[in-house]
Amino acid sequence: MLLSYYFAGLNERIGKIKERMAVAQEEEKTKLYHTVLQLRQISDKVVEEWLNFEEQLVEVQRMFESMGGEPFDALELQSVDEETEDVQEIYLPYPLAAQFRRGQGYFMLSMYREAVESFNQVIEEAPDVAVARLYLAFGFLMSGRLDMAYRQFRLLTETCEHAFIRAASYNALGCISALENNAEQGLLWFEHALAVFPDLTDATYNQALTLYQLRRYKEAAEACASLLEKEKDDVEALLLASASHAKSKHTEEACGLLGRAEAIARQAKHRKRIACAYEQLGRFMDAARCYRELLPDYRNDASVWHGLGWSLWQNGQADKALSCLKCALTLAPEQPDYACSYAWVLLCEGECGRAGRIFERIARKYNQPLAWAGMVEALLKQQRISEAQALIDGLLAAEVSHVRTLGHYLQGRILLLQGKREEALPHFSASHAAGGIRESGLYAGLLHYTDGAYEEAYERWKEWMPAP
């Protein structure tokens, strides 16, 4: 339907506004707000026109009713009986059918509370119309009333004979469980959905996503593979499959799936995720190419300029990287991560004093751990050991655990530079055990290895090793 494309365009505009709000300055926020007001006017106009149409439609239906008898309207529901492929038709009196159509209209316009009211009235008079109860349940779900949604979906799984509706209800119960942080129960519901209706791709995707969130990456990849056998051009499934393989250290498989997604991705939001995924995989040339291709749609998006700059730097193009990072900082001057990236490039290019001043400003203003680490690195490069040690002492005394973890890593570094290997190892080990700084394991493994403790070294290094 044309309406679907129309609303897809409006939703994409809203999505871009959301992304810009995080980094926009006051002047741009004012412009964005004016755009939101314009979209509100469009929304109000659409609702007004639709309600006017609905009133006219009801009036005409009542004209038929006044002619005598009780006219009925038919609602078609496609059967999932693979042998007969029947089409079920549900006949409702015109007033009730009109209420059903009204509820559908509200649902399409994302007016879920109004949709719930309409379908409630249908269910009160025709409690056996499963498709109306399904709409009602989804209306509750989309309006955040999870307890009411759960009851309706549960009732459908127990009373409805229509396989697709039962499967959709099981799938929705799985989503509710996931939203309530009960992922294991969610997996059970998704399994029920697929047992009833194996071709319900939404359930397969949700199953894979839940497995990924539970860090069961191999199973998540297998679920994605099953889905891609049926929907080979599903970009979301390709991205999830790639992420699952990446977490399992199957880098080549992850990159291959990203390449497939890139070949068919048309939406800018998908292309942006592909660029970020290449960056995380260390494929910085591919990441830089994808970020460049995003610029026509995301020229005012600081995160794209930052991603491009960081990827160019990792690819050995420092001058171009600094220019891109400057663009990111121009668009988002109060984003400390971008300032830290700019300073890290300067530091690696030998501008220790300038980088140190940027790190210090960010650290003092935002108490940013990455900036404190940058200050220590800058001081170490300038052989200002005592000043670096004073900063590290402050990090080790911090109340926040991840800041202390950083302190242990940096303390290990400084002790290693001083040749105090035995004293450095406990700090690297403490940092590695706390997680968050992978390099700690690399250093701890190196110290174990040089001491001849090869098994301990392997334990520290195995996270860096590619999967067999």
Side-chain angles (χ1 to χ4, degrees):
M1 290 177 65
L2 290 176
L3 271 177
S4 298
Y5 291 105
Y6 179 68
F7 281 107
L10 293 178
N11 283 322
E12 187 165 351
R13 290 178 68 182
I14 287 291
K16 289 183 178 180
I17 290 172
K18 287 180 180 178
E19 291 178 356
R20 289 298 310 148
M21 281 298 293
V23 295
Q25 300 305 302
E26 289 304 317
E27 183 178 351
E28 186 182 357
K29 283 183 179 178
T30 302
K31 293 180 180 178
L32 291 173
Y33 184 62
H34 284 306
T35 303
V36 170
L37 292 179
Q38 291 172 358
L39 292 172
R40 165 52 60 193
Q41 290 177 344
I42 293 172
S43 176
D44 291 343
K45 185 65 175 175
V46 169
V47 172
E48 180 184 343
E49 293 293 337
W50 176 73
L51 289 174
N52 180 54
F53 167 75
E54 181 66 21
E55 289 175 4
Q56 298 295 323
L57 187 60
V58 169
E59 182 181 344
V60 173
Q61 287 180 325
R62 285 175 178 166
M63 289 171 60
F64 278 97
E65 292 176 41
S66 66
M67 296 168 61
E70 189 177 15
F72 283 79
D73 191 8
L75 303 174
E76 282 192 359
L77 180 62
Q78 181 67 44
S79 172
V80 296
D81 190 325
E82 295 181 358
E83 295 182 2
T84 63
E85 298 185 354
D86 290 338
V87 174
Q88 297 178 357
E89 289 189 333
I90 303 168
Y91 290 92
L92 295 175
Y94 269 128
L96 207 56
Q99 192 68 260
F100 185 97
R101 304 290 189 196
R102 186 178 295 112
Q104 282 184 310
Y106 281 129
F107 200 93
M108 288 178 62
L109 294 170
S110 300
M111 299 169 67
Y112 300 116
R113 293 190 181 278
E114 293 82 354
V116 162
E117 292 177 8
S118 293
F119 288 116
N120 249 331
Q121 293 179 38
V122 175
I123 290 299
E124 285 177 3
E125 297 188 42
D128 293 331
V129 180
V131 68
R133 192 175 297 279
L134 184 67
Y135 268 115
L136 176 63
F138 273 111
F140 282 130
L141 177 60
M142 299 304 291
S143 57
R145 300 163 70 181
L146 300 186
D147 55 338
M148 298 297 292
Y150 180 90
R151 291 173 194 167
Q152 297 298 330
F153 285 126
R154 197 75 179 90
L155 183 59
L156 284 167
T157 62
E158 294 174 351
T159 61
C160 183
E161 296 183 359
H162 197 284
F164 177 81
I165 290 180
R166 286 176 58 212
S169 299
Y170 280 126
N171 179 57
L173 288 170
C175 293
I176 291 172
S177 295
L179 288 170
E180 294 179 339
N181 297 317
N182 191 355
E184 294 291 349
Q185 179 60 55
L187 287 176
L188 292 176
W189 289 129
F190 296 138
E191 288 176 10
H192 282 308
L194 292 169
V196 172
F197 192 72
D199 290 334
L200 187 62
T201 54
D202 281 355
T204 307
Y205 178 83
N206 290 331
Q207 181 186 54
L209 182 59
T210 303
L211 289 166
Y212 181 87
Q213 292 169 341
L214 289 171
R215 300 184 179 183
R216 292 161 61 177
Y217 302 121
K218 181 180 178 182
E219 294 171 79
E222 291 170 353
C224 287
S226 173
L227 175 56
L228 289 168
E229 288 178 1
K230 302 169 185 174
E231 302 284 344
K232 65 177 182 179
D233 292 337
D234 188 324
V235 177
E236 291 286 348
L238 286 166
L239 291 174
L240 181 56
S242 175
S244 300
H245 280 291
K247 288 292 187 180
S248 300
K249 300 175 190 172
H250 298 145
T251 305
E252 292 303 319
E253 290 88 341
C255 288
L257 289 160
L258 275 184
R260 286 174 57 186
E262 184 183 355
I264 60 176
R266 296 294 177 264
Q267 295 184 35
K269 66 177 183 179
H270 287 146
R271 299 203 306 274
K272 186 177 181 182
R273 287 171 59 190
I274 290 167
C276 293
Y278 274 131
E279 184 182 347
Q280 291 166 1
L281 284 168
R283 299 298 179 99
F284 297 109
M285 186 177 298
D286 290 319
R289 172 177 51 76
C290 290
Y291 279 125
R292 280 199 189 94
E293 292 172 357
L294 282 168
L295 287 178
D297 291 317
Y298 286 94
R299 183 162 293 278
N300 293 321
D301 188 327
S303 67
V304 172
W305 285 106
H306 176 263
L308 177 57
W310 191 256
S311 299
L312 288 171
W313 178 57
Q314 294 284 355
N315 206 36
Q317 302 179 58
D319 291 341
K320 291 180 179 179
L322 287 170
S323 297
C324 293
L325 292 172
K326 283 180 181 178
C327 288
L329 282 168
T330 301
L331 291 167
E334 299 302 316
Q335 173 54 264
D337 287 346
Y338 298 168
C340 284
S341 295
Y342 183 73
W344 276 110
V345 176
L346 290 175
L347 182 64
C348 293
E349 292 301 304
E351 296 191 43
C352 300
R354 188 178 168 196
R357 289 190 293 275
I358 296 174
F359 282 131
E360 183 173 9
R361 178 176 64 82
I362 297 301
R364 305 295 182 197
K365 186 172 182 179
Y366 298 101
N367 195 27
Q368 230 272 15
L370 186 60
W372 291 111
M375 285 181 66
V376 171
E377 293 289 350
L379 290 169
L380 290 177
K381 282 183 176 291
Q382 298 173 79
Q383 300 299 311
R384 295 159 63 181
I385 307 297
S386 60
E387 294 173 67
Q389 184 62 61
L391 286 175
I392 292 171
D393 290 341
L395 296 175
L396 288 171
E399 295 182 1
V400 182
S401 61
H402 72 268
V403 176
R404 292 197 303 274
T405 298
L406 175 62
H408 280 296
Y409 168 70
L410 293 171
Q411 185 66 76
R413 288 281 312 283
I414 202 170
L415 289 169
L416 197 59
L417 286 172
Q418 294 172 335
K420 301 177 181 178
R421 295 172 55 256
E422 291 184 2
E423 296 178 42
L425 180 56
H427 288 285
F428 286 129
S429 297
S431 178
H432 183 245
I437 302 178
R438 295 180 66 215
E439 288 80 359
S440 298
L442 194 63
Y443 280 107
L446 177 63
L447 292 174
H448 280 302
Y449 189 84
T450 54
D451 289 338
Y454 303 124
E455 291 186 5
E456 289 85 348
Y458 173 77
E459 285 300 314
R460 301 296 189 277
W461 284 345
K462 64 182 180 181
E463 66 181 284
W464 292 84
M465 298 177 180

